[in-house]
Amino acid sequence: MDVEKVFHMTGGVGKTSYAKNSSLQKKASDKVKHIIIQTVEDLYLETTPKSIGIADLGCSSGPNTLSIIKDIFQAIQGISQKIKHHSTEFRVYLNDLPTNDFNSIFKALPEFHRLLMQDREHGVSPIFMGGYPGSFYGRLFPNSYLHFVHSSHSLHWLSRVPPALYDEQGMSLNKGCVYISELSPAVVPEAYLQQFQQDFSLFLRSRSEELVVGGRMVLIFMGRKGPEHVDRGNSFFWEILSRSFAILVSQGEIEQEKVDSYDVHFYAPSREEIEEGVRKEGSLKLERLEMVEIDKSVQAMESYGTKVAMAVRAIQESMITNHFGERILNSLFENYARLVDAEMTEEDIKPISFVLVLKKI
């Protein structure tokens, strides 16, 4: 499967869209927003550029992207007024894979610009925004073009399903599981780690060439607490997806062979794997690395399982539909919601994210 051609968050603003089901990601980003703002302010005070280039990599199509761009814009406006440096213009590049629903973002831009203009007696700096489709695993921008790179909940997505998961006949070595599980042979976590190392190194090298000296990156992505790949964190949500598929197999809705050949292009690295990746690549300085645990919270009218199921559906729907067809989606995620709620009565599932601040020196 060509991930670049198939994978995208569910577009539009409908019930199952990413725009309507990305509040869990927003909550994680909000917990570290102070780090983003502090990093941007430090960058601006050090460089005071006349034209500042900002890229959001893996922007998707929901409201989260424009929300953080607004926060960054306002932070820099505030600092520029304090130091009497009013000539900065903003260049904002919104990047995702070509299949992303960029139209939803573009339709929201007039209202976004209106909000930026509110309560600004002395005017605002010009801001130029555009979509930049393409994989961030490789170069996207010219040399020394960007001052700040932001990426939220994107780098745990690999450039491809690790090819080492398959034998010479193209059969998956991770039968019955969509990700690393207790049943997975040792070659499975090794294959995922190897793919992550390759992708992460390429990402860092590409961004280093695109950043100006002194430029910063803030990266937020899912991970795991320790060396064990299987835990009650992010890996467990994939375990529940495997169980949900198994229910449909038992009901004759799908064939076991189809499940055996479905593997996700996801990896949750540990702190040590992230630090090693930055050190080995060598072109950027790791200034900060923090772990963030997201607390459970839901609206009164829905269960936590339903909230998570809708979020996972918005992320995985394009891949599942490509492999299995649309027919199973509703029953699959009804099972998923029910299983999550059942597990939460026994013990919390505690997904974590890491936030990294890197600087080009």
Side-chain angles (χ1 to χ4, degrees):
M1 183 187 299
D2 189 335
V3 168
E4 190 169 340
K5 292 182 178 179
V6 176
F7 182 58
H8 59 85
M9 306 295 107
T10 302
V13 293
K15 181 180 179 181
T16 62
S17 68
Y18 186 78
K20 296 292 187 183
N21 295 284
S22 54
S23 62
L24 295 176
Q25 292 89 331
K26 178 69 161 59
K27 188 175 182 182
S29 296
D30 284 348
K31 289 194 75 169
V32 300
K33 185 168 71 172
H34 65 287
I35 297 176
I36 299 171
I37 299 305
Q38 180 184 333
T39 303
V40 166
E41 291 177 344
D42 291 345
L43 162 70
Y44 187 78
L45 288 171
E46 287 181 20
T47 60
T48 56
K50 291 186 177 181
S51 178
I52 184 167
I54 299 169
D56 189 316
L57 306 184
C59 65
S60 191
S61 58
N64 296 353
T65 289
L66 295 182
S67 175
I68 192 60
I69 295 299
K70 178 173 176 285
D71 292 335
I72 292 170
F73 180 86
Q74 292 177 337
I76 293 178
Q77 285 284 99
I79 290 292
S80 68
Q81 289 177 10
K82 287 181 181 179
I83 64 174
K84 310 299 182 183
H85 185 264
H86 301 302
S87 60
T88 301
E89 68 176 18
F90 288 75
R91 296 174 282 111
V92 179
Y93 308 100
L94 305 177
N95 158 262
D96 213 310
L97 294 175
T99 50
N100 182 60
D101 181 13
F102 285 99
N103 282 339
S104 293
I105 299 177
F106 297 152
K107 288 177 181 178
L109 288 182
E111 176 64 12
F112 173 76
H113 285 288
R114 188 188 66 80
L115 290 173
L116 292 185
M117 294 297 294
Q118 283 183 345
D119 303 321
R120 291 291 177 181
E121 295 179 3
H122 305 292
V124 296
S125 298
I127 180 169
F128 306 97
M129 302 181 68
Y132 231 80
S135 172
F136 52 52
Y137 292 121
R139 290 291 301 273
L140 288 166
F141 305 96
N143 288 332
S144 302
Y145 196 66
L146 302 174
H147 295 82
F148 182 72
V149 172
H150 170 259
S151 181
S152 180
H153 292 89
S154 296
L155 275 167
H156 43 249
W157 297 113
L158 304 174
S159 64
R160 59 180 178 173
V161 176
L165 289 181
Y166 304 95
D167 63 20
E168 294 178 354
Q169 288 73 44
M171 303 297 291
S172 176
L173 302 173
N174 198 29
K175 296 185 185 300
C177 305
V178 303
Y179 184 59
I180 304 166
S181 76
E182 293 179 347
L183 301 176
S184 300
V187 68
V188 172
E190 292 171 3
Y192 274 104
L193 173 58
Q194 182 182 46
Q195 188 64 53
F196 170 76
Q197 290 171 332
Q198 293 175 2
D199 287 345
F200 192 45
S201 177
L202 179 56
F203 177 90
L204 295 176
R205 184 166 66 252
S206 300
R207 303 295 82 76
S208 175
E209 294 174 358
E210 295 164 354
L211 282 167
V212 301
V213 173
R216 305 293 209 285
M217 285 201 294
V218 177
L219 311 176
I220 306 164
F221 54 96
M222 293 180 176
R224 66 184 198 276
K225 287 186 177 180
E228 297 299 322
H229 288 88
V230 180
D231 57 18
R232 294 283 296 190
N234 291 303
S235 71
F236 199 72
F237 286 122
W238 296 116
E239 170 67 23
I240 291 177
L241 185 59
S242 296
R243 292 188 201 173
S244 301
F245 279 127
I247 292 173
L248 297 187
V249 171
S250 70
Q251 295 172 342
E253 294 295 319
I254 52 176
E255 297 177 352
Q256 183 64 53
E257 290 77 10
K258 292 290 283 185
V259 177
D260 289 343
S261 60
Y262 187 74
D263 300 282
V264 297
H265 65 294
F266 171 93
Y267 186 70
S270 66
R271 177 188 295 270
E272 291 72 24
E273 290 166 354
I274 294 169
E275 291 174 336
E276 181 184 13
V278 175
R279 179 183 59 79
K280 277 190 173 182
E281 198 282 321
S283 65
L284 296 160
K285 177 185 177 183
L286 181 59
E287 291 196 316
R288 191 168 185 171
L289 174 57
E290 294 189 16
M291 185 183 75
V292 181
E293 190 172 283
I294 306 304
D295 301 324
K296 180 182 72 173
S297 67
V298 295
Q299 298 175 4
M301 297 301 293
E302 65 182 356
S303 71
Y304 181 69
T306 299
K307 188 79 169 178
V308 173
M310 293 297 286
V312 174
R313 176 171 178 168
I315 295 167
Q316 276 285 287
E317 184 168 317
S318 64
M319 301 294 283
I320 291 173
T321 299
N322 180 267
H323 191 79
F324 297 95
E326 296 182 4
R327 181 178 57 84
I328 68 166
L329 287 171
N330 289 338
S331 55
L332 176 69
F333 286 103
E334 286 169 4
N335 291 333
Y336 191 99
R338 187 168 60 253
L339 290 173
V340 171
D341 283 332
E343 287 290 341
M344 292 296 288
T345 63
E346 301 293 329
E347 182 184 356
D348 277 355
I349 306 172
K350 297 181 178 179
I352 67 158
S353 295
F354 288 110
V355 55
L356 289 69
V357 178
L358 299 116
K359 179 180 180 180
K360 181 176 178 180
I361 54 176

